[in-house]
Amino acid sequence: MARANRRLARRARYGRYDGGPDPLAAPVDLSEALDAIGEDVMAGSSPERAMREFLRRGGANQAGLDDLARRVAERRRELTKKHNLDGTLQEVKALLDKAVLAERKQLARDTELDDGDRMLAEMQLDNLPASPAAAVSELSDYDWKSSEARADFEKIKDLLGRELLDQRFAGMKDALENATDADRAAITEMMNDLNALLDAHGRGEDSQEQFDDFMQKHGEFFPDKPSNIDELLDSLAERAAAAQRMRNSMSQEQRDELDALAQQAFGSPELMQSLAQLDGSLRSLRPGENWGGSEKMDGEEGLGLGDGTGVFQDIAELDALSEQLAQSYNGSRLDDLDLDQLSRQLGDEAAVNARTLQQLEKALRDSGTMKRGSDGQLTLTPKAMRQLGKALLRDVANRMSGRQGNRDLRQAGAAGERSGATREWAFGDTESWDVTRTITNAITRTAGEGGATGAGVRIEIGDVEVQETEARTQACVALLVDTSFSMVIDGRWVPMKRTALALHTLITSRFRGDDLQLINFGRSASVIDIEQLTGLEEIYDKGTNLHHALLLANRHFRRHPNAQPVLLIVTDGEPTSHLEASGEVFFDYPPHPLTVAYAVRELENSMRLGAQTTFFRLGDDPGLARFIDSMAKRVGGTVVAPELDDLGAAVVSSYLGSRGRGGTEGPSSGGFDGLFGRG
């Protein structure tokens, strides 16, 4: 055994994290994203647009697409402001000056040199052209007296050859430093074979075998190890196009200088001919590459031909990343993000942030919180609505318990009958344990962990389930929400929707025996599902048809004769329209006496049906306050004038209090009356 362990230890190896999904990372938390998306949806945004907006903004501790795009733009601007394109010319000039200086020193100290030859050589050096290319050309046949000067001058030819090759094959400049004649011959052979391969491919006469033979022979020149001709072409064309964009960005003088110097590369014009043939083939085979772009490069740091081509490739990558991060094209997904490019340009942290956003988008699409409708658009699923509603309900509970010392809403219904359902225990629950379910959970967990059940069962907190109860009083609830345009322009649209969703969640999760109907009223009224209400877009709708809304509410109450009617009305305006017998909508402003009379009559019908009525008055209009006060007094109702942030808590408080006043003991019986003050 010890020997086997030693063998395992020898085989064990540690390696750098390869950038895949982090096995130690916490699962993606959707709660923050879902809250933000729900808020935007309730403000009138589509779920698709709301999701993309959240991914753009990011979360409290998560960089978004906009932040990554900003860093990409900064990186691009840094490259263009930092560099200029004189690097190779300046390097050639420095080598030329060094060679000439060394030659002058040799002429001065060589006493054996004929004075006439010395004078002629000095005259030639004194009259060299200012153009480095012209000077190099003139000195190509010069009889150097200094071996040091000759070596420096030969470095110019070597440098030009390496730079020209480095433009097309990254890394050649360093790899061919101090190249021998054999090295140059190998380059010439590779170029000839490459051009032959591309010519055959252009004619459709190449084969995988021909490509494999080429790579076996010259693979050392291609460190990215392409597996077929197309991958080779893509790599070569991308760099050649970057080299062309660099050339396009130079001044005409710079281009003329480099063209003249290029003829001196490796002391032979054959290299330029081979490179010209290669460029022509790549342009023909990959016309879609950006061969015509250019950049303004006016920094202080000079770039050589090879390094400059790499910078132009970086700029192209940054442009591609900018487009990917913008997500502005049809069918865009965060899966389109090239994380390798992002890591190269901005570092590993940026790639980790982007991967998290990808996982977040995938989780939002695949976790059941969103679905694609028949029209192809994303919508929030009932599961998402429940999650969002629970978050809103927690906020309501915190506001209520924080101000009054009331208990958590999960206790609602504890004084009632058992519903037969159970749920996992949570802090604050006072319901009885379901012993059977609790012990079964403990046994299942113990077995799953590989433990032996014969030694006894240890119960943990997560095993405990409690028996759900329902209050004895059944309520029939109508929530009437004003959806006239004044609710939009005064910033009451989203609080209204949040309130409706919180109440809907409370009733469907804790008071399943109650029946809630949501009714929206603008110029006319309609019964509306919670999904429709939360996604309702802002519309210009003149009119506040409380009469029509009350007609629908009373119809709802009549359908549930054995339930306690609860009428909750959220509005910011007096009634200005009503429904006539013909079904037509009548509108007038200021409110017509007939419109008011219709609304009052239907409100009294609600009272006769036994409805407990609460008005939630939004805004500080004195006329509205007087009108609603008189309406409430007429039917024995209540008026609450909450701040917008407290609207949800006010409505939930009124609902719970109405259930308590309905007869039997309720969970929050009367405890929240007057919490926000009467109007």
Side-chain angles (χ1 to χ4, degrees):
M1 176 64 72
R3 190 160 47 247
N5 288 337
R6 285 196 296 272
R7 284 200 301 270
L8 286 172
R10 284 197 298 270
R11 287 201 296 269
R13 293 291 184 271
Y14 294 96
R16 184 177 182 274
Y17 175 54
D18 64 2
D22 185 354
L24 302 180
V28 177
D29 183 6
L30 294 181
S31 57
E32 182 185 15
L34 191 58
D35 288 347
I37 290 170
E39 192 81 7
D40 286 350
V41 167
M42 286 189 282
S45 180
S46 70
E48 180 87 38
R49 188 163 65 249
M51 179 183 69
R52 292 190 176 281
E53 184 61 27
F54 176 78
L55 294 173
R56 297 193 66 80
R57 292 194 309 261
N61 300 306
Q62 168 65 47
L65 295 177
D66 282 347
D67 181 67
L68 294 174
R70 175 187 57 78
R71 293 174 59 189
V72 165
E74 288 176 352
R75 170 67 175 155
R76 191 187 197 284
R77 185 164 53 251
E78 176 189 340
L79 290 177
T80 57
K81 296 297 183 183
K82 179 180 180 181
H83 300 294
N84 65 63
L85 305 179
D86 276 342
T88 297
L89 290 175
Q90 293 301 323
E91 200 169 350
V92 167
K93 189 175 185 304
L95 286 171
L96 182 62
D97 290 345
K98 185 180 178 183
V100 170
L101 180 60
E103 181 68 6
R104 288 183 186 280
K105 290 179 179 179
Q106 180 63 30
L107 291 175
R109 64 172 174 261
D110 191 349
T111 58
E112 298 181 359
L113 185 63
D114 180 76
D115 289 342
D117 291 341
R118 180 184 292 106
M119 184 178 299
L120 185 62
E122 288 176 345
M123 186 181 300
Q124 186 173 357
L125 294 178
D126 289 341
N127 291 283
L128 285 174
S131 162
V136 169
S137 178
E138 185 168 321
L139 291 173
S140 60
D141 296 327
Y142 178 79
D143 184 14
W144 297 92
K145 305 302 187 289
S146 166
S147 59
E148 179 185 351
R150 181 183 297 106
D152 286 336
F153 186 76
E154 291 300 322
K155 286 181 182 178
I156 293 176
K157 298 179 180 180
D158 181 68
L159 169 68
L160 292 169
R162 289 188 293 122
E163 286 278 23
L164 288 169
L165 286 169
D166 203 37
Q167 271 196 308
R168 277 73 171 186
F169 310 95
M172 281 287 195
K173 181 179 180 180
D174 294 333
L176 291 177
E177 190 171 9
N178 301 318
T180 64
D181 290 339
D183 294 330
R184 297 188 185 95
I187 289 289
T188 300
E189 184 180 12
M190 183 275 290
M191 289 296 302
N192 291 336
D193 290 348
L194 177 59
N195 282 324
L197 176 63
L198 298 188
D199 284 344
H201 183 72
R203 298 191 304 270
E205 298 174 359
D206 64 312
S207 65
Q208 183 65 34
E209 182 180 1
Q210 184 181 1
F211 170 81
D212 292 340
D213 290 342
F214 173 82
M215 288 300 298
Q216 185 175 4
K217 186 176 180 181
H218 303 295
E220 61 185 297
F221 296 107
F222 305 94
D224 52 343
K225 302 300 181 186
S227 59
N228 54 55
I229 184 67
D230 287 319
E231 290 183 7
L232 176 64
L233 277 171
D234 290 341
S235 176
L236 291 174
E238 179 185 299
R239 190 161 178 87
Q244 182 60 50
R245 293 194 298 277
M246 180 181 181
R247 177 180 172 83
N248 298 342
S249 304
M250 294 177 178
S251 66
Q252 187 60 50
E253 181 183 359
Q254 289 173 322
R255 288 196 291 268
D256 292 343
E257 283 287 305
L258 288 171
D259 288 346
L261 284 170
Q263 302 303 319
Q264 304 292 328
F266 288 153
S268 168
E270 293 179 2
L271 176 62
M272 283 302 297
Q273 294 172 3
S274 296
L275 291 175
Q277 182 181 349
L278 174 62
D279 288 347
S281 296
L282 293 174
R283 278 177 175 269
S284 173
L285 294 169
R286 290 293 185 269
E289 289 287 344
N290 180 12
W291 299 94
S294 63
E295 298 290 337
K296 184 179 180 181
M297 310 284 282
D298 51 7
E300 296 182 357
E301 185 176 316
L303 286 172
L305 296 179
D307 290 341
T309 298
V311 166
F312 274 79
Q313 281 188 289
D314 286 340
I315 291 174
E317 278 196 355
L318 291 167
D319 287 342
L321 286 171
S322 181
E323 183 178 1
Q324 294 165 16
L325 290 167
Q327 295 281 289
S328 57
Y329 47 93
N330 290 335
S332 58
R333 295 282 292 267
L334 286 188
D335 287 343
D336 300 338
L337 271 177
D338 191 322
L339 299 184
D340 291 335
Q341 288 185 356
L342 197 62
S343 178
R344 279 196 300 271
Q345 298 301 332
L346 300 184
D348 292 340
E349 182 182 354
V352 169
N353 280 325
R355 185 181 295 109
T356 302
L357 290 174
Q358 287 180 335
Q359 294 169 347
L360 187 60
E361 182 191 42
K362 187 176 189 302
L364 285 169
R365 293 181 184 275
D366 299 344
S367 64
T369 57
M370 290 187 175
K371 65 179 179 180
R372 197 167 295 280
S374 57
D375 58 355
Q377 297 298 313
L378 285 180
T379 58
L380 293 178
T381 63
K383 176 182 177 181
M385 299 300 297
R386 288 194 298 272
Q387 289 180 246
L388 185 58
K390 288 177 181 177
L392 295 175
L393 198 55
R394 281 194 299 271
D395 180 63
V396 166
N398 289 336
R399 288 180 177 276
M400 292 165 63
S401 60
R403 298 190 183 196
Q404 287 281 313
N406 293 304
R407 54 191 168 174
D408 193 300
L409 287 180
R410 72 169 62 88
Q411 295 175 342
E417 302 290 346
R418 293 181 182 178
S419 67
T422 64
R423 68 171 185 274
E424 184 178 347
W425 177 88
F427 179 76
D429 278 332
T430 59
E431 290 86 349
S432 301
W433 284 19
D434 187 301
V435 177
T436 302
R437 292 287 302 170
T438 299
I439 294 177
T440 300
N441 291 340
I443 293 173
T444 303
R445 176 183 50 76
T446 303
E449 293 173 354
T453 58
V457 177
R458 183 180 181 85
I459 298 176
E460 296 184 355
I461 289 295
D463 301 325
V464 178
E465 292 197 23
V466 296
Q467 297 170 341
E468 284 197 325
T469 60
E470 293 181 348
R472 300 185 186 98
T473 302
Q474 188 179 41
C476 176
V477 187
L479 176 62
L480 281 54
V481 290
D482 189 343
T483 53
S484 60
F485 194 64
S486 60
M487 293 284 286
V488 176
I489 60 177
D490 291 329
R492 298 160 185 155
W493 194 254
V494 173
M496 173 271 292
K497 291 183 178 182
R498 290 170 61 90
T499 298
L501 183 54
L503 182 62
H504 178 273
T505 302
L506 174 62
I507 291 176
T508 55
S509 62
R510 297 292 185 240
F511 296 98
R512 299 185 184 92
D514 288 359
D515 198 309
L516 170 66
Q517 187 167 86
L518 300 173
I519 299 170
N520 68 304
F521 61 100
R523 191 177 187 86
S524 60
S526 64
V527 176
I528 190 169
D529 292 337
I530 187 61
E531 292 83 2
Q532 294 173 307
L533 180 60
T534 53
L536 190 65
E537 296 186 2
E538 303 169 353
I539 53 175
Y540 181 75
D541 194 8
K542 292 178 64 176
T544 306
N545 200 333
L546 180 59
H547 167 244
H548 191 185
L550 289 169
L551 282 170
L552 296 174
N554 288 337
R555 184 180 67 180
H556 179 54
F557 295 151
R558 291 187 183 99
R559 288 174 176 172
H560 300 80
N562 297 322
Q564 168 62 49
V566 177
L567 179 61
L568 309 171
I569 304 171
V570 178
T571 185
D572 69 347
E574 301 172 64
T576 55
S577 62
H578 66 266
L579 195 65
E580 296 190 320
S582 63
E584 296 295 322
V585 173
F586 174 87
F587 168 80
D588 193 19
Y589 184 83
H592 193 282
L594 187 60
T595 299
V596 175
Y598 271 116
V600 170
R601 185 185 67 184
E602 206 56 40
L603 188 62
E604 290 176 341
N605 287 337
S606 300
M607 178 185 65
R608 294 187 186 96
L609 290 170
Q612 298 181 9
T613 303
T614 305
F615 285 92
F616 300 90
R617 174 174 56 81
L618 304 180
D620 300 321
D621 179 35
L624 175 65
R626 287 192 298 270
F627 173 77
I628 289 184
D629 281 349
S630 64
M631 292 269 283
K633 184 177 181 180
R634 192 179 187 97
V635 296
T638 304
V639 179
V640 179
E643 297 294 331
L644 284 179
D645 289 344
D646 289 329
L647 178 60
V651 170
V652 169
S653 297
S654 179
Y655 161 70
L656 293 174
S658 296
R659 297 188 87 264
R661 291 191 298 271
T664 62
E665 179 187 0
S668 304
S669 179
F672 304 100
D673 280 352
L675 177 60
F676 300 95
R678 294 177 182 271

